[in-house]
Amino acid sequence: MTTSKTFLRLMNMSEEIAKAAGTTEDVVSKVLEVANTDVISRRRQPALPPPDGGISIRAAGRKYKIDFRLVSSWVKRGLIAILLETPNNKYIQEKDVAELAKKYKTNPGRGKRTIFVK
């Protein structure tokens, strides 16, 4: 991925780039400025804040010290309600995660059987 530091280095080398390309330094500078603006605008947008009572799957895994893939499998099975789904994140009901995590931690070696035992 190209960063602003990379463009700064290229701007410092614009005279050498211009000589190699057979053009002026002003043209090279303008091209680099446009490219830098384009790269910055394509960066991933910051994540939305979670809805009230919600948490992302990865954050739930970190908070309750459970593998996020396990939390994700609970979501796929319908054991945890999805509050909001974005292209990059799923926000889930935190109280559901807390209940399942408590059950799971009583006997983690039994895996899914721990969750479904009454």
Side-chain angles (χ1 to χ4, degrees), residues 55-63 66 68 71 89-90 92:
I55 190 169
S56 71
I57 291 175
R58 284 191 180 265
R62 283 191 301 271
K63 183 173 182 178
I66 296 175
F68 75 92
V71 177
N89 287 317
K90 284 185 185 176
I92 55 178

Side-chain angles (χ1 to χ4, degrees), residues 44-45 85-90:
R44 183 172 167 178
Q45 298 300 318
E85 192 167 351
T86 66
N88 298 317
N89 287 317
K90 284 185 185 176

Side-chain angles (χ1 to χ4, degrees), residues 14-69:
S14 61
E15 183 179 343
E16 295 151 23
I17 295 170
K19 283 181 185 177
T23 186
T24 65
E25 190 176 347
D26 292 336
V27 172
V28 173
S29 297
K30 287 179 184 177
V31 168
L32 289 174
E33 286 173 18
V34 170
N36 188 22
T37 305
D38 185 49
V39 167
I40 289 173
S41 68
R42 291 182 187 205
R43 288 189 180 146
R44 183 172 167 178
Q45 298 300 318
L48 297 172
D52 290 339
I55 190 169
S56 71
I57 291 175
R58 284 191 180 265
R62 283 191 301 271
K63 183 173 182 178
Y64 295 101
K65 295 181 175 77
I66 296 175
D67 189 6
F68 75 92
R69 291 173 290 214

